[in-house]
Amino acid sequence: MGLLRQFGNRTARFERQTEGQHHDHLICMGCGKIVEFENPRIEELQAHIARQNGFQIFEHKLELYGNCPTCLFKEKRMSKKTREERGA
């Protein structure tokens, strides 16, 4: 069983869904790379916050948007090149 997941405005991906397994995502705004990760502490914190507020969670998703190391390097290199061209 799987589902088509939409990540922001740019990326969609088919993911296999396995009962009882959950993961979250890091999404690169530069190249669209998606990194899946699992972190029990994040899951525990979400459950704790839900309990504190009287919520029962049925499903959730955590998507963190930023730049991957490759895009950060390219951005830094381009920024340096621009400064050099301006004579800074």
Side-chain angles (χ1 to χ4, degrees), residues 13-78:
R13 185 166 98 182
F14 183 79
E15 289 197 322
R16 188 185 334 236
Q17 189 175 21
T18 306
E19 179 115 10
Q21 292 182 340
H22 177 78
H23 62 268
D24 298 303
H25 301 91
L26 296 165
I27 298 106
C28 180
M29 299 295 288
C31 67
K33 177 180 181 177
I34 299 172
V35 177
E36 298 176 351
F37 70 94
E38 297 177 19
N39 188 307
R41 290 176 51 204
I42 290 174
E43 299 303 313
E44 291 167 10
L45 181 57
Q46 291 171 145
H48 176 73
I49 291 169
R51 279 192 307 275
Q52 280 184 323
N53 290 281
F55 274 74
Q56 180 181 2
I57 298 174
F58 297 112
E59 67 178 85
H60 75 278
K61 64 179 180 176
L62 175 62
E63 297 174 355
L64 304 172
Y65 293 85
N67 284 338
C68 70
T70 301
C71 288
L72 285 171
F73 177 76
K74 288 178 184 176
E75 184 178 289
K76 188 174 182 180
R77 192 173 63 198
M78 289 300 292

